Amino acid sequence: MYNQDELEAPGWLNDEFFRDVMRESNNDPTIELIKPCVLRPGTNKGDHYASVMFRTTVTYRSQRSSEEQSANIIMKTKSEADGLKKELLDDDRLFAIEIEMYSKVLPEMTRMLKEIGEEYKYPRYIFGALKPHTILILEDISDQGWVMGDLINNLDDMKPIVKDIAMFHAASVMLESADSTFAERHAYSMSDKFVGFEGMITKGFGDLMHLTKRYPEFAHFAKPLQKFQDSLRELYVSSYIQSKTIQNVLIHGDFHGKNMLHQVDAKGRHTDTILLDYQICCWTTPAVDVYYLLDMIPTQKVKDKHRSELIYMYYQQYSDLLKRLGYVGKIPSLLDLQIELLRHSGLELFHYAIFSPIHYMNQNDIDVEAWVKGNFDNPVLNNPEFKKLMYTELTRFLHQGTLQFS
């Protein structure tokens, strides 16, 4: 279901506001609206959590043109209702990051990649502000054939996604190599928001501990899981500190299926992908995004069958793009990347603990607010398929050293 703040727009999102936005974005003070702007929810039910999103069509006329013009736009703003949503975005930092990404960083990345014959796509930036109201407005591309998909169920449909994140990472390395202040300016850490998700994290690991108490075959995981959970904050913080063991990149940081759109052909194949939601981009280890790529986008079947190939595919794209872009620094080897992934493998265990149950639930039954707060009964703890997955993966984490007895 929609939250109330997704159904009732704040009063300042009115026709006068949209007229002024179109005047500023088009550098044309003669623009006047022809029709009222009717706002509607910007996402499907439950697809977006932290910010509030709306869509509308702005129809206008200008003295510079006799023709009626229109623009489909989608906007992201903050919830004005008290609660966790408001608390997570209260300092405006995430909006400041995303406004800079769309207005400055992404255009420069796109320019660089275009010079070597590559196209990086993103919604066109129209307007952004932190005061007097916090808002980001982009072109609404939903009528251009871009659709949101479910978990990716074959390797071919993963290819455009892998290429997009490789392009994003490689272009960011080039930006940093040309600007000594780039890394420092993008040193934001999502770990600052860790406390806001404490309920969800406690619930996820609590459910794993429930398995160790209820099913004897899980009992030997109890102590290692408890030890891992006790050091979870330290692990999470370290993941957002610049790596000393591999080339850092600007990570997307929230790289999952709800934050991308796809072009799909008549046979249902994905021909192109576009990434969205650049709110928590920061300069750190590529392991963060690579684990999102492995854990949050393909089905478990695709991951089980193609895990190594996906890492190899990402690495080949990333290293090839750096060479073609003219990078003069040392490009990490595939072995370097594999070691870095092992070094940060706790992130993958974190993903399994927190997010895996969702894949076994009816998506329409999930109360996102309750899930984030950890206030829900997990219906999958008795699911044989889920139990088998968790036993297999916890065993892998134990054997590779992510979980430790002592």
Side-chain angles (χ1 to χ4, degrees), residues 230-242:
D230 290 343
S231 61
L232 191 57
R233 183 181 291 272
E234 179 184 342
L235 177 145
Y236 205 63
V237 169
S238 68
S239 299
Y240 290 87
I241 296 173
Q242 294 178 29

Side-chain angles (χ1 to χ4, degrees), residues 144-360:
Q144 299 174 23
W146 294 99
V147 296
M148 187 175 289
D150 296 321
L151 293 174
I152 304 299
N153 60 18
N154 65 80
L155 183 63
D156 282 343
D157 286 355
M158 287 295 298
K159 290 178 181 177
I161 301 171
V162 173
K163 184 168 185 179
D164 261 15
I165 200 63
M167 284 197 291
F168 184 74
H169 286 177
S172 75
V173 172
M174 295 304 295
L175 287 177
E176 192 274 337
S177 67
D179 179 358
S180 60
T181 69
F182 186 86
E184 183 179 352
R185 287 190 289 109
H186 293 88
Y188 175 79
S189 173
M190 186 58 188
S191 61
D192 297 341
K193 302 291 184 183
F194 188 91
V195 67
F197 297 100
E198 201 159 20
M200 175 181 72
I201 295 165
T202 301
K203 172 65 175 173
F205 281 92
D207 287 343
L208 289 185
M209 294 302 292
H210 173 81
L211 293 178
T212 70
K213 295 173 183 176
R214 183 167 184 178
Y215 302 104
E217 66 269 31
F218 281 86
H220 65 292
F221 296 125
K223 288 184 179 179
L225 274 172
Q226 186 60 58
K227 183 175 181 180
F228 182 88
Q229 187 177 0
D230 290 343
S231 61
L232 191 57
R233 183 181 291 272
E234 179 184 342
L235 177 145
Y236 205 63
V237 169
S238 68
S239 299
Y240 290 87
I241 296 173
Q242 294 178 29
S243 176
K244 296 180 180 179
T245 51
I246 200 169
Q247 170 64 59
N248 291 286
V249 301
L250 187 67
I251 62 163
H252 180 280
D254 203 12
F255 183 44
H256 57 77
K258 299 291 187 183
N259 282 339
M260 57 186 67
L261 299 174
H262 312 281
Q263 292 280 348
V264 182
D265 67 15
K267 294 183 179 180
R269 296 172 299 199
H270 290 199
T271 58
D272 203 357
T273 295
I274 191 169
L275 305 187
L276 307 170
D277 207 340
Y278 294 87
Q279 282 193 313
I280 57 175
C281 296
C282 67
W283 187 253
T284 188
T285 172
V288 177
D289 278 348
V290 175
Y291 275 129
Y292 268 106
L293 174 69
L294 295 173
D295 302 334
M296 305 293 284
I297 298 171
T299 62
Q300 187 66 37
K301 183 177 179 180
V302 170
K303 179 181 174 180
D304 288 344
K305 188 174 181 179
H306 300 291
R307 176 190 173 90
S308 294
E309 188 173 356
L310 286 167
I311 297 170
Y312 179 76
M313 188 188 303
Y314 161 81
Y315 175 77
Q316 288 290 88
Q317 291 275 9
Y318 170 71
S319 58
D320 178 64
L321 284 161
L322 280 179
K323 291 171 187 174
R324 290 164 58 200
L325 286 165
Y327 183 59
V328 295
K330 180 182 180 296
I331 298 176
S333 68
L334 177 58
L335 182 60
D336 291 332
L337 176 61
Q338 293 282 15
I339 293 171
E340 185 75 359
L341 289 172
L342 186 59
R343 184 177 286 112
H344 289 278
S345 59
L347 286 171
E348 186 167 36
L349 174 51
F350 178 87
H351 287 165
Y352 272 101
I354 308 304
F355 301 115
S356 286
I358 296 174
H359 301 156
Y360 294 84

Side-chain angles (χ1 to χ4, degrees), residues 19-31:
R19 180 203 64 195
D20 292 345
V21 165
M22 298 316 294
R23 286 179 175 180
E24 180 171 330
S25 64
N26 290 280
N27 193 24
D28 182 354
T30 70
I31 285 177

Side-chain angles (χ1 to χ4, degrees), residues 102-159:
Y102 275 109
S103 64
K104 298 176 182 178
V105 178
L106 292 175
E108 184 60 16
M109 285 183 170
T110 303
R111 182 196 65 76
M112 282 183 177
L113 290 162
K114 186 176 181 180
E115 289 181 352
I116 61 168
E118 299 290 353
E119 184 178 15
Y120 188 85
K121 298 176 182 176
Y122 60 94
R124 180 169 61 91
Y125 172 78
I126 292 175
F127 178 81
L130 302 179
K131 296 183 181 301
H133 304 288
T134 305
I135 190 166
L136 170 70
I137 301 179
L138 304 170
E139 177 187 17
D140 183 359
I141 61 172
S142 59
D143 62 345
Q144 299 174 23
W146 294 99
V147 296
M148 187 175 289
D150 296 321
L151 293 174
I152 304 299
N153 60 18
N154 65 80
L155 183 63
D156 282 343
D157 286 355
M158 287 295 298
K159 290 178 181 177

Side-chain angles (χ1 to χ4, degrees), residues 22-72:
M22 298 316 294
R23 286 179 175 180
E24 180 171 330
S25 64
N26 290 280
N27 193 24
D28 182 354
T30 70
I31 285 177
E32 296 291 346
L33 300 194
I34 298 173
K35 301 176 183 177
C37 296
V38 179
L39 273 68
R40 54 193 187 277
T43 59
N44 295 324
K45 297 177 183 179
D47 275 351
H48 200 84
Y49 177 70
S51 50
V52 182
M53 300 184 72
F54 298 98
R55 301 178 194 268
T56 194
T57 299
V58 184
T59 307
Y60 61 95
R61 183 174 286 123
S62 164
Q63 293 179 13
R64 297 178 183 176
S65 172
S66 59
E67 296 182 3
E68 177 182 303
Q69 300 179 70
S70 65
N72 293 322

